[in-house]
Structure formats: structure tokens, C-alpha cells
Amino acid sequence: MEFVSKHNIIDILNDNGINERLFRYADEIRKKYVGDDVHLRGLVEFSNICKRTCKYCGLRCENKKLERYRIEPADIVSYAKNAVEKGYKTIVLQSGEDDYYSVDKMCKIISEIKKYNVALTLSIGEKSYEEYKAYKDAGADRYLLRIETTDKNLYGQMHPKMNFENRIRCLESLKTLGFEVGSGCLVGLPNQTIESLANDILFFKEIKADMIGIGPFIPHPDTPLKDAEKGSFDLALKVMAITRILLKDINIPATTAMETLKPNGRIIALQSGANVVMPNVTATEYRKKYEIYPDKICINENPDQCLNCISAKIKSIGRTISSGYGSHKIG
Ligand code: SAH
């Protein structure tokens, strides 16, 4: 399979006769470059309060139907501690953009969690260079910030009052500061073209991403996109597979949104290029409220159930659970 130009990528995205071959090839590249280990990241969804108005997201501040919560710093640290005790080597802290968590508060949370000898990833949105630097100095190792789409016009339609250039600036700041940087995109946004998805994939290569998360868009009933069509599972899987083939040794999660659209979607993704899963380690009471999209999986489970369930599935396909930190740079 040729991947030299944007043209090739567009052709592959348009050709559904090629899918099974593409997925098999991505799986071979995954095996060759990152092996059979699957890295588990324990995800703490610590606040669903958000000042943004992203058109697709159920957490957008204009959604008045959502019951909001924020978890206090001491409890965030204790969820992380429990996850480490269960064997997680990476904790991911994710939230809406909630200014309650000042730089000081965040840095305290970070340094407390880092005492447990764990890799720490943040996914808390757009911040200034100085704020990112403070998190890095406090010990954070990685940061996830999806570009969502590289189509500037579409980006503008989806993100009122936000700015594409600032999102790029954030990714550059994070790189400069030495974070391992994760990004990614949504597949199937209204008005998104195949060409723009090809551009997204090339963008991931250009920024030398360490991790790329790709998920289908799922319309949320309490957002302006409630009547839009949902993204295609197969197309999202193809974008992910091509990303693996092009970027070779990066970390690629089998995203929760994949499984929301298709039973066993994460296992299918793990067999089509992915090598990471992010089980939820947040207490059950909060899960249904972190409703970025509807019908999210695992909202009635607890952390132990999620770990046991996904571990068994991973082993059933002949893969192993990693006992390392699973960094892109140091293995
Ligand atoms: N506030 C953080 C975390 C956002 S939630 C940030 O800005 O980075 C994590 C991801 O969920 C988003 O990056 C987005 O790609 C995805 N997401 C949001 N709404 C979605 C929807 N309706 N369908 C599928 N994925 C969605």
C-alpha cells in the first residue's frame, strides 16, 4: 500500500474494497513496531463543568440539562491512588475547561499523584504556555489535546469563540515544554470531507505526535448537532489504521467512542492498529454525568469491573497487558 501523497490517502479512504487489507496491514505494523503489549491508562473524569461551547459536546456550557459535578482534589488523588494499586502505570486526568482548578490546585494534584511513581497525563484543554509549564514543572508527563479537525473553516463552525491558531499554539507549547503530546480528530463531523481527514492524518505526522486518538462523532441530543448524522465506525477505523501505518511506533488508543458505535469496537480497533486502552477509573456515581456523547459505555460499572472486563478481552485475542509505562519515547 502506497502512502506517499495525500492523493493516496484519499483514494484509500474512498475505497471500501480495501478495508480488510488495510486493517490487517495496520495490525502488522503495530506488531512490528510496538509489539503485542497493550498499555492501560486509568482515566479520571474529574469535572464536567466547561466554559466552552463546542457544538458537538454534551459538556458545553449551554447544555442546561446536564447535572454538573466537580471532584475535589483530595478525591481525585485518591481515585488515582486506587488505580495505581490495581496496577495502572499511567493516570489520565480529564475534564471540561473548569477554572475552579487553578494552576495551584492542579499542580498540587499533579505532585501528589506523582508520588505514586506513575506516568501522568492531563487532558484539560487550552491553557497558556506558563500554565502548561507549571504543570510540567509539577511533574506531568503527557498532555492530550485533539485538534478535532484541521479544516480551519469547519473548526470555526464547530468551536464558537475559539481559535484554530490558538489550538495549534497550545500543541506547539506542549511540544516545546517536553510533554509527550497526544492529539487526534473526530471523524464524521457535519460538512467534514474525506480530503480534510487526509489532511488531519498528515498533520499528525507533521507535528510528530506521540499519541493519536481517533473517534467517530456521536450526536448528543442536547447540543446544536442533535439531528446530525453520526460518524461511520469503519471510516474512523480507517483513519486510525492509516495513522498507524504512517506514524508507525506511536501510541494509539482504541477509543471508547468506537465501542459506543459497535459492540467490541475497542477490540476491533486493537486488531487494526491500536495499542492502548483507557479504562475508566472514576467512581460510578459520576460516570453518567460525564456525557460528552450519549450511550457511553461502562457508565454503570465500577473501576474493578472495567479493569477485569477489558483485561480478559485483551488476553482473549492473544495480546498482553503491559507492565511498563508505555511512553512513546522510552518504551
Ligand atoms: N476539555 C478537554 C477534554 C475534551 S473531552 C479538551 O478540550 O481537550 C475529550 C474528547 O471527546 C474531545 O477532544 C472530543 O474529540 C471528544 N468528543 C466530544 N464530544 C464528542 C461527541 N459528541 N462524539 C464523539 N466524541 C466527542
Side-chain angles (χ1 to χ4, degrees):
M1 256 171 237
E2 278 298 327
F3 281 96
V4 283
S5 72
K6 184 162 113 185
H7 245 84
N8 296 134
I9 297 176
I10 292 174
D11 286 347
I12 290 168
L13 288 173
N14 278 323
D15 177 3
N16 282 328
I18 211 170
N19 293 6
E20 287 313 315
R21 247 180 77 205
L22 175 72
F23 299 146
R24 256 201 320 276
Y25 187 43
D27 196 43
E28 281 168 27
I29 298 284
R30 183 273 308 158
K31 192 175 171 71
K32 180 169 170 195
Y33 285 89
V34 295
D36 281 338
D37 261 359
V38 175
H39 305 289
L40 298 184
R41 324 293 201 193
L43 176 66
V44 186
E45 297 166 335
F46 67 89
S47 165
N48 70 353
I49 296 175
C50 191
K51 63 183 180 188
R52 304 287 185 188
T53 54
C54 306
K55 288 243 178 83
Y56 45 79
C57 185
L59 307 191
R60 66 201 307 275
C61 63
E62 286 169 12
N63 177 10
K64 305 292 181 213
K65 287 197 185 157
L66 185 67
E67 200 185 312
R68 305 284 172 166
Y69 73 89
R70 56 168 66 107
I71 300 178
E72 285 303 325
D75 294 327
I76 299 173
V77 174
S78 104
Y79 292 135
K81 179 167 182 276
N82 291 341
V84 174
E85 283 166 0
K86 299 284 175 201
Y88 285 98
K89 295 283 183 185
T90 298
I91 300 298
V92 181
L93 301 183
Q94 192 182 79
S95 68
E97 290 199 22
D98 180 356
D99 290 335
Y100 171 77
Y101 302 89
S102 60
V103 180
D104 259 18
K105 276 202 180 80
M106 260 341 281
C107 288
K108 285 201 186 100
I109 296 168
I110 294 164
S111 54
E112 284 300 312
I113 294 177
K114 284 300 288 183
K115 288 183 188 159
Y116 304 123
N117 257 326
V118 70
L120 184 58
T121 306
L122 301 178
S123 175
I124 58 176
E126 295 185 14
K127 310 281 172 184
S128 67
Y129 181 91
E130 289 68 31
E131 285 171 295
Y132 287 145
K133 181 169 189 314
Y135 304 152
K136 189 82 186 62
D137 292 345
D141 305 284
R142 309 176 188 153
Y143 205 101
L144 306 182
L145 187 77
R146 288 184 176 174
I147 190 71
E148 315 293 2
T149 173
T150 57
D151 177 335
K152 222 177 131 172
N153 191 19
L154 180 59
Y155 187 93
Q157 290 169 33
M158 292 295 123
H159 305 100
K161 289 182 246 154
M162 286 169 77
N163 174 311
F164 184 74
E165 279 73 28
N166 192 51
R167 203 136 182 111
I168 302 275
R169 194 275 306 155
C170 287
L171 289 168
E172 285 169 357
S173 298
L174 292 163
K175 263 273 166 208
T176 307
L177 286 161
F179 281 95
E180 270 189 65
V181 178
S183 193
C185 65
L186 284 164
V187 175
L189 289 169
N191 302 324
Q192 190 177 36
T193 62
I194 292 289
E195 183 183 1
S196 89
L197 288 171
N199 286 331
D200 292 352
I201 297 169
L202 292 169
F203 172 81
F204 303 150
K205 191 170 166 72
E206 188 188 310
I207 63 166
K208 298 193 171 70
D210 298 297
M211 185 275 213
I212 290 296
I214 287 152
F217 157 66
I218 303 169
H220 189 296
D222 303 318
T223 65
L225 299 184
K226 60 178 186 293
D227 297 322
E229 212 170 304
K230 67 173 189 251
S232 140
F233 177 84
D234 282 350
L235 185 57
L237 202 63
K238 289 179 79 171
V239 173
M240 191 199 82
I242 298 171
T243 302
R244 165 62 70 202
I245 294 165
L246 220 62
L247 281 80
K248 298 199 166 36
D249 67 349
I250 63 161
N251 284 317
I252 298 187
T255 57
T256 308
M258 293 271 199
E259 186 126 355
T260 300
L261 280 197
K262 193 166 192 142
N264 243 15
R266 287 177 303 173
I267 292 298
I268 297 169
L270 284 175
Q271 296 177 305
S272 312
N275 70 321
V276 170
V277 178
M278 295 165 62
N280 201 323
V281 300
T282 322
T284 316
E285 58 178 302
Y286 301 112
R287 293 188 181 198
K288 63 175 180 306
K289 297 182 193 159
Y290 199 80
E291 195 185 55
I292 48 188
Y293 49 79
D295 304 320
K296 250 180 82 190
I297 57 165
C298 310
I299 53 170
N300 296 314
E301 328 293 322
N302 66 38
D304 285 351
Q305 289 167 323
C306 283
L307 181 58
N308 294 338
C309 161
I310 196 65
S311 301
K313 285 184 181 174
I314 290 167
K315 289 175 192 157
S316 78
I317 56 166
R319 301 277 281 278
T320 44
I321 310 277
S322 164
S323 54
Y325 292 104
S327 308
H328 176 217
K329 289 172 180 132
I330 34 177

